[in-house]
Structure formats: C-alpha cells, structure tokens
Amino acid sequence: MVKLASARESRMYGPRLARNRAEYMNAGLYVFATIVLIGGFVAQLSNEPKSGLALLLIALLLIVVVNLHDLVAHLAGIDYRLPLMGFDTQLALVEFAVPVVQALGTSLSFLGILFLFIQEYKGSYGHFKLERHALNLLIAGPALWVLGSIHNSCQIYERANGHVQILQQSVHIPFLMGSLLFLVASILNIREQAGWNHHGLNLLGKTWVWIGIFGSLMFFIGGLTNVVKVFKMQQIDGVRLEKLRGGAQERLIGERDGHAPLILEEERRRKRIAEETRAAALPAQTPYKDVLVGQP
C-alpha cells in the first residue's frame, strides 16, 4: 500500500543523522496510521460509526504524507535530476512511479470516505450520484494499491545484499495481501448494495468492515516489519545496498563533487584487459645499447 524505505544507495538525502531520523519518523508515522486505520474500522461496529469515518480520513491522510515523503526522498537522492532515470529504468518505474500510484490510490479512497462522511453529516440523501461515486472510488483506490504493490514487489537486485532483499520482501508481501483484501472488500460491498436502497453509512456493509479490519492488520504487520528493516539498514554498511544501474550512481556522485562523470567499473576493467592484451602481443624490442655491442 505504500512505498517505504528503499534498498537503494541513492536514498542519500541530507546529512546521515537527519536522514536516519527522517526514516524512523516515516516508518513510525506509517505504523501509527495503520493503528488509526484499524480503530476506524472497529468504530464502524460501534454505536458511533460516524467517528469511525473520521478516523479513516485521518489515517488515509497520514498515509498520503508518508508516500509523499518517499517520493521526495527518492527525488532528493538523485538531486531532482530526472534525466538520471534514463540510466536506470527501475528508478523511474519503481522508486518514482510507485509512491505516485500509492498516493493517488490513497487520495481516491480518502475522497470516497469523505463523500460518505459529508452525506452522513448533512443527513440528506438526495445526491445519489455522489454516493455512487463514493463506492466507485472505494474500488479504484485499492485497485491502485494492488497495482503499486505488485509493481513494488517486482524490483530487481543485482548487487544488494541477500539480507537486505529478504527484509524488503518481508515488507512487500503484507502490503500486497492487505491491498488485495481491501479490493475484495470493496467489490463485495458494491455487490451487496445492489438492489438495496441504502444510503450514507449503510452503504458500508459488515463484510467491508470486517475484511477492512484484516486488511488493516496486514498493513500494520507490514509497517512493523518496515521498522525492523529501517533499523537493520541503518546498521549495515552502505556498500551492501543496491546501486543505481547504468552508471547513474557514479554520474550522480561525480556531478555532486563537481567532476566529470566517472568511467564505469566494467568499462575500466575491459579497457585495462585490452591494454594488457595489446602490450603482450607486441614483439619484444632489443635495446639500442645491445645492438651496438653485438656489432662486429
């Protein structure tokens, strides 16, 4: 449901201490948002379901903030130089696209809940189109969560440490399962409401609430594993993290230092091997002094 701390070494925005603090705050804020999300669904089963909608709105708003933080962090990691995405397709399709998709999906879910909250608050159910839009938004939002979660789980690692990859997948899987649960809940809910003349909070059936509780629990588990991952990644050496491919990392560091882009390690190695091969193929030359001594 959310793109959290990346396993990329490019996520190097700001001083190390400030960056670590921001990562912990980002992870902690998401865990808090999932707790509020669970509370919002549980409140739907109480005598004050309207308060549950307010909690859901707060939780979704916090999740949007977390996604925007990740988007800014990834862009700041490359000094907001979008052309660098041409050297690493995954940077554009995962680090950049996933936070955007997840933030958009969360915003659509936020609007769907907000429409129902406004209808319930006003107490007038004359705007049937608004309610129908709200139910459609509650499907579109989780659909984007699923798309982003699948996309996020398809990251390709070439140099990252295996431990880092395991930690990354331990976060992706709960988010994917939770997103699927929310999508199924919204689809089942709109099918349940077909043929019934329900309005306001009655449009959110018990099936949607209970599946939403389990989906929120999966997000909570994913948030906890993300806290563990952030802690572990702060303790390991940066060399064990994934680098930007295509020389983008070296180009970025070179531009930050004010130098020309560095030659790729593979290119340097190939050039060195070619020079050694060419030197070995040349015939051994006789020194000029030896030629003079050898004359009769």
Side-chain angles (χ1 to χ4, degrees), residues 141-177:
L144 290 178
W145 292 348
V146 173
L147 176 62
S149 298
I150 294 175
H151 210 180
N152 198 23
S153 301
C154 294
Q155 294 189 42
I156 301 174
Y157 300 95
E158 292 180 354
R159 302 182 181 89
N161 181 270
H163 187 206
V164 174
Q165 299 183 38
I166 294 174
L167 290 174
Q168 194 82 336
Q169 295 301 324
S170 67
V171 177
H172 293 165
I173 294 175
F175 288 153
L176 176 59
M177 295 177 63

Side-chain angles (χ1 to χ4, degrees), residues 142-293:
L144 290 178
W145 292 348
V146 173
L147 176 62
S149 298
I150 294 175
H151 210 180
N152 198 23
S153 301
C154 294
Q155 294 189 42
I156 301 174
Y157 300 95
E158 292 180 354
R159 302 182 181 89
N161 181 270
H163 187 206
V164 174
Q165 299 183 38
I166 294 174
L167 290 174
Q168 194 82 336
Q169 295 301 324
S170 67
V171 177
H172 293 165
I173 294 175
F175 288 153
L176 176 59
M177 295 177 63
S179 300
L180 285 172
L181 286 175
F182 271 98
L183 180 60
V184 171
S186 299
I187 294 175
L188 292 179
N189 180 69
I190 201 171
R191 290 180 63 87
E192 285 183 359
Q193 300 303 325
W196 294 90
N197 193 24
H198 291 163
H199 302 286
L201 291 179
N202 292 327
L203 289 172
L204 303 177
K206 299 295 183 181
T207 302
W208 183 82
V209 174
W210 280 107
I211 298 181
I213 292 176
F214 289 110
S216 301
L217 287 174
M218 295 305 302
F219 291 153
F220 176 71
I221 294 173
L224 289 180
T225 55
N226 178 73
V227 173
V228 175
K229 187 191 74 172
V230 171
F231 176 77
K232 293 291 185 182
M233 290 180 64
Q234 303 298 350
Q235 308 302 318
I236 64 177
D237 190 4
V239 177
R240 301 166 66 185
L241 299 181
E242 178 78 1
K243 294 180 179 293
L244 295 176
R245 299 190 195 89
Q249 193 84 51
E250 294 187 357
R251 291 172 183 270
L252 175 62
I253 295 175
E255 293 178 6
R256 282 174 172 173
D257 295 338
H259 303 297
L262 301 176
I263 303 175
L264 296 178
E265 181 180 354
E266 291 79 4
E267 293 181 358
R268 292 198 300 266
R269 183 174 58 83
R270 287 197 297 266
K271 184 177 180 181
R272 185 173 63 253
I273 293 175
E275 290 178 353
E276 293 175 355
T277 304
R278 188 163 52 250
L282 292 176
Q285 297 181 355
T286 306
Y288 181 71
K289 248 196 252 182
D290 295 344
V291 172
L292 292 178
V293 172

Side-chain angles (χ1 to χ4, degrees), residues 10-232:
S10 62
R11 196 179 174 97
M12 299 183 292
Y13 58 99
R16 180 179 179 84
L17 183 61
R19 184 177 72 248
N20 293 348
R21 187 182 299 114
E23 294 290 355
Y24 284 124
M25 291 177 61
N26 181 52
L29 183 62
Y30 182 79
V31 173
F32 175 74
T34 57
I35 294 175
V36 177
L37 193 66
I38 295 173
F41 279 103
V42 172
Q44 295 292 313
L45 302 175
S46 65
N47 296 328
E48 291 294 334
K50 191 184 298 185
S51 62
L53 289 183
L55 291 176
L56 293 178
L57 291 175
I58 295 173
L60 294 174
L61 184 61
L62 293 177
I63 293 175
V64 171
V65 172
V66 172
N67 280 281
L68 293 179
H69 164 268
D70 287 305
L71 178 61
V72 172
H74 288 132
L75 293 179
I78 58 174
D79 290 344
Y80 302 98
R81 298 175 183 178
L82 300 183
L84 283 176
M85 294 184 182
F87 299 100
D88 190 338
T89 306
Q90 181 172 296
L91 179 64
L93 298 180
V94 178
E95 272 78 1
F96 175 76
V98 171
V100 173
V101 172
Q102 300 286 19
L104 180 59
T106 307
S107 300
L108 293 180
S109 298
F110 178 88
L111 289 177
I113 298 295
L114 181 62
F115 289 166
L116 294 179
F117 183 82
I118 292 175
Q119 287 284 87
E120 186 68 21
Y121 182 78
K122 289 184 177 180
S124 59
Y125 305 123
H127 304 285
F128 299 144
K129 290 185 178 179
L130 190 63
E131 294 179 343
R132 186 164 60 251
H133 290 327
L135 293 179
N136 292 331
L137 288 173
L138 290 179
I139 294 179
L144 290 178
W145 292 348
V146 173
L147 176 62
S149 298
I150 294 175
H151 210 180
N152 198 23
S153 301
C154 294
Q155 294 189 42
I156 301 174
Y157 300 95
E158 292 180 354
R159 302 182 181 89
N161 181 270
H163 187 206
V164 174
Q165 299 183 38
I166 294 174
L167 290 174
Q168 194 82 336
Q169 295 301 324
S170 67
V171 177
H172 293 165
I173 294 175
F175 288 153
L176 176 59
M177 295 177 63
S179 300
L180 285 172
L181 286 175
F182 271 98
L183 180 60
V184 171
S186 299
I187 294 175
L188 292 179
N189 180 69
I190 201 171
R191 290 180 63 87
E192 285 183 359
Q193 300 303 325
W196 294 90
N197 193 24
H198 291 163
H199 302 286
L201 291 179
N202 292 327
L203 289 172
L204 303 177
K206 299 295 183 181
T207 302
W208 183 82
V209 174
W210 280 107
I211 298 181
I213 292 176
F214 289 110
S216 301
L217 287 174
M218 295 305 302
F219 291 153
F220 176 71
I221 294 173
L224 289 180
T225 55
N226 178 73
V227 173
V228 175
K229 187 191 74 172
V230 171
F231 176 77
K232 293 291 185 182

